[in-house]
Amino acid sequence: MKKIRLLLIAVIVFSLIFGIGNVYAEDGSTAEDGDATADESGLSFDWEQYTYEELLKIKSDIDNAIQAKQREYALENGNRKITLADFDAKVYVGKTIRLEATVEKLTEDAPAKTSLVWSSSDESVAKVSSAGEIKAIAAGRATIICRASDDEFVFAESVVDVIEPVKSIAIDNPNQTILISDSGVNGNTLQLSCTVLPENAFCKDLNWSSSDEKIATVDGTGLVKAKAPGKVTITVVSEDPFSKDTRPIKASFQLTVNQAVSAIELSSSEATLDKKEKTTLTAVILPTSATNKKLVWDSSNPSVATVTASGQVAAVGCGETVIRCVAVDGSGASAECKVNVIQKITGLKFTSPLSTLALDQTAKLQVAITPEDATNKNLVWTSSDEKVATVDSSGNVKAISGGKATITCSAVDGSNKTVSQSIFVPSFKVSTTEYTVISKSGMTISLEYLGAPGNLVVTNSGKTFFDCDYTLSGTKINIDITPRKAGKGNLILKDNSDPKNMITLQVTIDHDAVYDTTSYPKGDYTSIMRYPSSYNGDKISIYGRVLQVQKSWGSYTLRVATKGRWDNVFYVTGSSDVSIIEGDYITVYGTCTGTKTYTTILGGSITIPSMRIEQLYIGRN
């Protein structure tokens, strides 16, 4: 509001000076001294409300306004007109230009010749000689005034701007490289900037250029775009005309364009190491044309594992760490490998060895693990033949059938440690291995066989004493023993799945089970003849030559000489037909019936020992 009042006051004073009219009060009376004045709009001004400094400012403004009006009046009403030739109002510091002035007479009474006076509004910026020659001193603006020497109101003015030329150019951060990456790392571009001195230089336009646009281009803003790996010179030149007239102001530097690392592939992304174990990670750098293939390796937890500059990882303590490699070319490409360091199992040992396990029995195998602080103590149990024996996850072994199976306990921590135990399950289940045959009809031995039928082999090593035959039904073996001779022999039963899977049965043939002279003593002709009643019913045997054969329905009678052709003849009767002819030598087993008296063909009576046949063999038995 105060500025508005000052302006109004200046207008009023200006009006008074140029005779616009008296200023009257609102009621038409003239304002008296000390009273507030008012303009035609009725505004009044109280001069007492302004300070001394404010009034001086008002006076200065009024003086300037008066001078302006005077000049305006002189130009419109003067008798001469001064015209200054047009020229480039911008002059570089240190440059000199000449300003031409023309004087034109406007009235007849104007002097025929006018002497001119030149002046500068600011000689620290520009000076002017009496001939109108302007010399630029320092950057700034000055008004050059040309006036008539005899009339200060006959004049002309021209504004001159003195400007600074560019004196130097410096490329900011010239020691740079730019990367080319298929993935567009850093955009494949580099924004360059310059420092132009002095700061108030008038023309700061620049021209950028590349010495080889196949390697890199640069636009007018200094934006470099990489094209191919190599070295190129980037140059910037000032567009300042003054600089061009004197000497080019420029700067340049050699820019290196590198092929960036776009990716790093490690030989492993995860690794498990035992304490004190070492491994080497290999890195494949892509693309293969990358300029700088140097990598920096580090470990996120060196107390777990360390890594060398060549990627060799050394396990230090249990735990996890991340091994990282980073390209040093500024591409930011990197790769990581997660490393888990463990204490692996170094040994497994059975603490409860088990070699034989009976059918359907269960036994637990215990394993000691070395060292005690192994990280992963989990074990896997397996059986080589689950038809023979199975094993559960706790090491409990169960016999299923006869044969041999290998029980293996394996560590799962990558140590590849194992321990194995052969388990033998007998294929034969018997209550005794000794048998005695006391019946002439023989006997049947029954036992249980738990192996595969195709693996069963039965061997009779006692063929002299008995014959055998066997049948297998399910798991049951029936072995039929037929006696041949008193004595002992063996039956050997084998399961071919394992040499140990064998059992030997001892078979004894009692004399009562066979016909021999032990159970059937030799019949003594003389004793029987003398004491026939004492031998009646006794078991006896004879060997001799058949002298006579008599057959009838369902029976036969033999007369057998035991000593010579006609000596010691026995009367032998049987209940079945036999293919015996006179002259055969036979062995007869049977029961003594005392003596037999019969009538010969000649009518004589003969008494001889007699017996009833139980078993007859042709020849000696």
Side-chain angles (χ1 to χ4, degrees):
M1 182 62 70
K2 185 177 288 186
K3 289 183 178 180
I4 295 175
R5 289 175 180 174
L6 290 174
L7 181 59
L8 290 173
I9 292 170
V11 171
I12 293 171
V13 174
F14 183 80
S15 299
L16 290 172
I17 294 173
F18 284 89
I20 296 176
N22 293 327
V23 179
Y24 294 92
E26 190 174 11
D27 58 359
S29 61
T30 303
E32 298 180 356
D33 294 341
D35 295 335
T37 61
D39 61 11
E40 291 178 349
S41 65
L43 296 174
S44 62
F45 300 94
D46 184 3
W47 297 100
E48 296 297 328
Q49 67 178 324
Y50 298 102
T51 65
Y52 174 74
E53 288 77 11
E54 290 174 337
L55 289 174
L56 289 177
K57 179 64 171 64
I58 293 172
K59 178 180 181 301
S60 176
D61 291 340
I62 292 174
D63 289 342
N64 291 335
I66 291 173
Q67 290 178 4
K69 284 297 182 179
Q70 286 177 334
R71 290 174 182 172
E72 182 181 342
Y73 181 81
L75 291 174
E76 292 177 357
N77 300 288
N79 57 4
R80 287 161 292 180
K81 180 180 179 182
I82 300 175
T83 303
L84 297 177
D86 289 336
F87 77 104
D88 188 353
K90 293 180 175 57
V91 182
Y92 283 101
V93 172
K95 286 282 188 177
T96 300
I97 62 171
R98 187 178 181 83
L99 190 58
E100 297 291 338
T102 302
V103 180
E104 180 185 358
K105 292 175 61 175
L106 298 178
T107 63
E108 291 183 0
D109 61 349
K113 187 176 181 180
T114 301
S115 179
L116 299 177
V117 178
W118 295 83
S119 65
S120 171
S121 65
D122 190 346
E123 291 193 345
S124 66
V125 174
K127 292 181 179 182
V128 62
S129 68
S130 60
E133 188 176 77
I134 303 170
K135 183 176 182 180
I137 304 300
R141 173 170 286 187
T143 301
I144 303 301
I145 305 168
C146 178
R147 59 170 54 90
S149 61
D150 60 341
D151 189 346
E152 66 175 331
F153 292 107
V154 177
F155 67 93
E157 295 179 345
S158 182
V159 176
V160 175
D161 288 320
V162 177
I163 58 177
E164 286 278 6
V166 174
K167 295 180 180 179
S168 66
I169 300 174
I171 299 176
D172 301 331
N173 301 320
N175 298 322
Q176 297 189 43
T177 60
I178 186 170
L179 297 175
I180 297 176
S181 173
D182 296 337
S183 60
V185 177
N186 297 337
N188 293 339
T189 61
L190 174 65
Q191 181 64 58
L192 295 175
S193 61
C194 282
T195 298
V196 179
L197 296 176
E199 292 184 359
N200 61 344
F202 173 72
C203 178
K204 293 188 178 182
D205 294 339
L206 303 172
N207 181 29
W208 294 86
S209 63
S210 168
S211 64
D212 190 345
E213 293 194 345
K214 292 182 180 179
I215 295 177
T217 61
V218 60
D219 66 11
T221 66
L223 180 66
V224 180
K225 186 172 183 180
K227 295 293 186 180
K231 294 183 182 295
V232 63
T233 300
I234 302 297
T235 302
V236 60
V237 180
S238 171
E239 290 291 288
D240 188 340
F242 178 75
S243 301
K244 287 185 175 181
D245 292 343
T246 55
R247 61 181 178 84
I249 303 298
K250 63 181 180 179
S252 63
F253 78 100
Q254 190 177 67
L255 176 70
T256 300
V257 178
N258 290 337
Q259 176 65 53
V261 175
S262 61
I264 302 171
E265 295 180 355
L266 288 181
S267 54
S268 300
S269 59
E270 291 187 7
T272 299
L273 302 178
D274 196 8
K275 281 198 302 185
K276 299 182 181 180
E277 185 180 357
K278 293 183 179 180
T279 188
T280 299
L281 295 174
T282 57
V284 176
I285 297 174
L286 299 175
T288 56
S289 59
T291 305
N292 186 352
K293 296 182 180 180
K294 186 177 180 181
L295 302 175
V296 173
W297 296 79
D298 65 68
S299 170
S300 64
N301 192 348
S303 64
V304 173
T306 60
V307 63
T308 67
S310 61
Q312 186 182 68
V313 181
V316 178
C318 294
E320 291 185 354
T321 186
V322 175
I323 302 300
R324 187 169 183 260
C325 68
V326 181
V328 300
D329 66 348
S331 64
S334 65
E336 294 182 349
C337 176
K338 184 179 179 181
V339 175
N340 182 30
V341 177
I342 64 172
Q343 173 60 65
K344 290 183 181 179
I345 293 174
T346 59
L348 298 174
K349 182 179 180 181
F350 284 116
T351 59
S352 54
L354 178 67
S355 59
T356 302
L357 189 63
L359 180 67
D360 293 331
Q361 283 188 341
T362 299
K364 184 177 180 64
L365 288 173
Q366 301 281 356
V367 173
I369 298 174
T370 305
E372 292 184 357
D373 63 344
T375 304
N376 185 354
K377 295 184 178 180
N378 292 328
L379 303 173
V380 173
W381 295 82
T382 57
S383 169
S384 64
D385 191 346
E386 293 191 345
K387 293 180 181 179
V388 175
T390 60
V391 61
D392 64 15
S393 59
S394 299
N396 295 305
V397 182
K398 183 177 181 180
I400 303 299
S401 65
K404 183 180 74 173
T406 300
I407 304 301
T408 301
C409 176
S410 305
V412 299
D413 63 350
S415 63
N416 297 323
K417 297 299 180 181
T418 63
V419 62
S420 298
Q421 173 71 62
S422 293
I423 302 297
F424 172 67
V425 179
S427 295
F428 304 99
K429 193 173 183 180
V430 296
S431 56
T432 180
T433 58
E434 295 183 359
Y435 299 88
T436 300
V437 180
I438 60 175
S439 171
K440 291 181 175 63
S441 62
M443 71 179 300
T444 298
I445 299 174
S446 295
L447 55 90
E448 193 169 4
Y449 173 63
L450 308 173
N455 291 332
L456 176 62
V457 176
V458 178
T459 302
N460 180 8
S461 64
K463 291 181 179 180
T464 301
F465 306 103
F466 57 86
D467 295 322
C468 75
D469 193 13
Y470 74 91
T471 59
L472 178 62
S473 178
T475 61
K476 187 175 183 180
I477 303 175
N478 290 320
I479 304 174
D480 295 324
I481 303 297
T482 301
R484 294 187 60 187
K485 183 179 180 180
K488 293 181 180 180
N490 293 328
L491 283 176
I492 301 172
L493 283 68
K494 292 183 179 180
D495 184 334
N496 280 339
S497 65
D498 189 289
K500 291 173 55 180
N501 220 336
M502 178 181 69
I503 187 171
T504 299
L505 304 180
Q506 180 180 284
V507 178
T508 300
I509 303 300
D510 190 78
H511 290 282
D512 289 339
V514 295
Y515 294 96
D516 62 15
T517 57
T518 300
S519 54
Y520 291 81
K522 290 181 180 181
D524 184 85
Y525 178 87
T526 302
S527 296
I528 295 173
M529 288 296 292
R530 183 173 289 123
Y531 309 108
S533 60
S534 297
Y535 289 94
N536 188 22
D538 288 350
K539 301 290 185 181
I540 62 170
S541 62
I542 62 170
Y543 171 76
R545 184 178 183 185
V546 177
L547 300 179
Q548 185 181 34
V549 178
Q550 289 181 326
K551 297 181 179 180
S552 62
W553 292 102
S555 64
Y556 62 90
T557 301
L558 302 176
R559 290 178 178 80
V560 180
T562 60
K563 291 183 180 182
R565 183 171 177 82
W566 299 104
D567 297 336
N568 298 333
V569 177
F570 279 72
Y571 187 88
V572 180
T573 60
S575 59
S576 61
D577 189 14
V578 292
S579 299
I580 301 297
I581 61 176
E582 293 177 356
D584 286 339
Y585 284 90
I586 62 173
T587 301
V588 180
Y589 299 92
T591 304
C592 180
T593 56
T595 57
K596 174 69 175 178
T597 301
Y598 65 92
T599 303
T600 66
I601 297 174
L602 298 176
S605 177
I606 298 176
T607 300
I608 58 176
S610 64
M611 63 179 296
R612 186 174 59 254
I613 299 174
E614 291 184 24
Q615 184 66 38
L616 183 150
Y617 298 97
I618 296 175
R620 186 179 292 277
N621 180 55

